[in-house]
Amino acid sequence: MSKTAARDHLEQSLSRIADPSGEGARACLTVYAEAARAAADAADARAKAGKAIGALDGVIVSIKDLFDVAGEVTRAGSRVLADEGLIAPADAPVVRRLRAAGAVIVAKTNMSEFAFSGVGVNPHFGTPGNPFDRARVPGGSTSGGAVAVADGMCEIAIGTDTGGSTRIPAALCGIVGWKPSKQRIPTDGAFPLSSTLDSIGPMARSVRECALADAVMAGEAAPALEPASLAGLRLGIWQGLPFEGIDQTVTTAWSTALARLTQAGVRLSDENIALIQDMAQVNAKGGFAAAESYAIHRERLKRNGAGIDPNIRIRIERGSGMTAADTADMAQARQRLVQAIDARFMSLDALVLPTAPIVAPKIAEVAAPDEFGRRNAMLLRNTAMINFFDLCAISLPLPRGDGLAAGLMLVGRNGHDGRLFRIAAAVESWLKG
């Protein structure tokens, strides 16, 4: 992170947000200019006095539009929620922890409505353009956060990840995105999509920045983050489904990355994970997100279903035919599979696979509902498996020429977040070299 004075850095961020030729109006839905200036000045005063209060003191941070901020309506990217006008009585726990660590919260960022899409389109507040081609989607659901980091509107963006919502936009926007082991960070005060699958994670330009933000939100000490040794590291390449329909840009970048890792002495093995067929059977009736989001929104759908993005509404409505018994059966079966996959991965240091098999589609290409559904399913496919199996994961930028961005995803066992961060730091350094 920059050693520029927090106030100077903040003013640069605010300038980029306000730039009429940029994506600020679409990426940042609420801008806390004056509160952020006060927080930055306080951080600078502490730095001058040698009394920093936390790992993020003076760091410019954005938060996703679904986090509670005391005295504000939590919109979650929805005009319907904005119009309902329910005021949050207190900051979400992660927001309190960020403030306590000295973070300068500059804005609330745009998102897919209710966080229920990997595409990142929002018809209510606009869709922020991808940093590598403004005619393309940023990925979702933490769309505005990824663009804000990539475009220099903040250093770290805090998002949620239910099926890939930090990792997909990170991959498509050329930055780092982290999904922790779910239990480490409280999700209270974050508007829910699926209580079973929701987790909270950061996006940034580096693994180190993500690790610091993760530790703050988890209430842990700042990590030393010594990179792991790559020589002899055991990485399993998740074969089969993750590579179906992969496009040429991702394939080329992926092949380059594997060649570099091999040169570093990484031991790569092909891993066929039969448990994904079991996962598909568990999700056959609709999955946790559909069931749990329908439970949240069923009365809202009756009152004002027409006010919800049709592409999101149809996904919620898939849960209407699921019963409490269905959900209980899914939860019981999932727990068995979580235990089984943990045992399956004990001989590996991490799994590795493309974050998404395709690059960012053009916004015009996802205008039709059928094509939206197809591209959304492709973008979510690889990342959503990680949430289902209750693992931790990180997306790193793949080597990129002049084309679109793609991501390499490293996956670790539940609770082994620190180890995965150290592996990611080493892989990040080697891929950049």
Side-chain angles (χ1 to χ4, degrees):
M1 285 171 276
S2 171
K3 294 184 179 179
T4 303
R7 179 60 183 268
D8 291 343
H9 205 163
L10 172 66
E11 293 302 332
Q12 293 170 15
S13 297
L14 290 171
S15 178
R16 291 188 176 104
I17 292 171
D19 183 355
S21 65
E23 298 299 310
R26 288 174 289 276
C28 299
L29 302 187
T30 300
V31 181
Y32 303 109
E34 293 312 310
R37 287 184 173 113
D41 288 345
D44 284 339
R46 290 191 295 269
K48 187 175 181 179
K51 297 180 179 179
I53 59 173
L56 299 182
D57 208 355
V59 176
I60 314 302
V61 174
S62 68
I63 58 174
K64 194 173 182 176
D65 194 46
L66 52 60
F67 288 109
D68 284 351
V69 170
E72 295 184 9
V73 174
T74 305
R75 291 167 298 214
S78 173
R79 287 286 186 192
V80 171
L81 284 184
D83 291 344
E84 288 177 6
L86 296 177
I87 302 296
D91 287 351
V94 294
V95 174
R96 292 200 301 271
R97 290 177 180 183
L98 290 165
R99 295 193 201 278
V104 176
I105 297 178
V106 66
K108 268 190 174 179
T109 56
N110 201 354
M111 57 182 285
S112 306
E113 188 170 14
F114 304 141
F116 209 176
S117 158
V119 175
V121 169
N122 189 305
H124 311 301
F125 300 104
T127 299
N130 187 289
F132 299 105
D133 180 352
R134 300 302 186 187
R136 294 179 181 270
V137 303
S141 64
T142 316
S143 53
V147 173
V149 170
D151 285 0
M153 301 176 204
C154 64
E155 292 175 275
I156 298 171
I158 307 302
T160 56
D161 191 310
T162 305
S165 287
T166 57
R167 291 162 289 152
I168 296 165
L172 270 52
C173 292
I175 59 175
V176 179
W178 169 255
K179 178 230 171 287
S181 297
K182 173 180 170 56
Q183 74 277 4
R184 291 182 50 251
I185 297 176
T187 57
D188 302 343
F191 192 88
L193 171 57
S194 166
S195 60
T196 299
L197 304 175
D198 291 345
S199 58
I200 293 173
M203 298 180 292
R205 289 189 172 273
S206 71
V207 172
R208 177 176 176 272
E209 288 168 307
C210 284
L212 290 175
D214 171 81
V216 165
M217 293 189 293
E220 299 171 358
L225 199 61
E226 291 294 330
S229 172
L230 290 179
L233 195 71
R234 302 162 302 172
L235 297 185
I237 303 172
W238 193 327
Q239 296 293 309
L241 184 64
F243 291 89
E244 291 182 7
I246 191 168
D247 71 25
Q248 188 56 53
T249 299
V250 180
T251 297
T252 300
W254 171 259
S255 298
T256 299
L258 288 195
R260 292 185 185 179
L261 292 176
T262 300
Q263 291 169 0
V266 172
R267 293 165 52 192
L268 297 169
S269 60
D270 292 342
E271 303 292 332
N272 293 292
I273 314 296
L275 291 169
I276 60 174
Q277 279 77 45
D278 299 293
M279 178 192 73
Q281 291 178 3
V282 173
N283 286 333
K285 290 186 177 181
F288 292 100
E292 293 173 352
S293 65
Y294 184 74
I296 294 165
H297 295 292
R298 62 180 180 270
E299 295 302 321
R300 188 168 287 114
L301 288 169
K302 294 175 185 177
R303 293 194 308 269
N304 197 4
I308 298 171
D309 177 359
N311 288 318
I312 304 301
R313 187 175 67 241
I314 194 171
R315 301 194 74 203
I316 298 171
E317 289 172 342
R318 287 177 188 152
S320 64
M322 299 176 68
T323 67
D326 291 332
T327 305
D329 288 344
M330 286 194 305
Q332 189 175 45
R334 175 181 181 250
Q335 188 54 43
R336 290 196 301 271
L337 295 178
V338 165
Q339 294 170 356
I341 207 157
D342 186 67
R344 172 68 174 77
F345 295 159
M346 288 183 70
S347 62
L348 299 169
D349 292 302
L351 283 167
V352 61
L353 63 157
T355 308
I358 60 174
V359 294
K362 291 184 177 179
I363 296 171
E365 290 174 340
V366 296
D370 287 351
E371 193 61 14
F372 178 95
R374 188 180 76 83
R375 301 294 183 103
N376 185 57
M378 286 292 285
L379 288 168
L380 285 162
R381 186 189 67 199
N382 292 0
T383 53
M385 298 188 296
I386 310 309
N387 300 73
F388 179 90
F389 287 114
D390 205 10
L391 304 166
C392 57
I394 190 166
S395 179
L396 304 177
L398 278 166
R400 189 185 68 84
D402 296 327
L404 297 170
L408 176 147
M409 182 163 55
L410 292 164
V411 181
R413 295 168 62 195
N414 183 286
H416 290 234
D417 301 48
R419 171 65 173 160
L420 188 62
F421 266 129
R422 292 191 293 274
I423 292 170
V427 172
E428 173 188 50
S429 178
W430 193 260
L431 292 182
K432 285 181 177 179

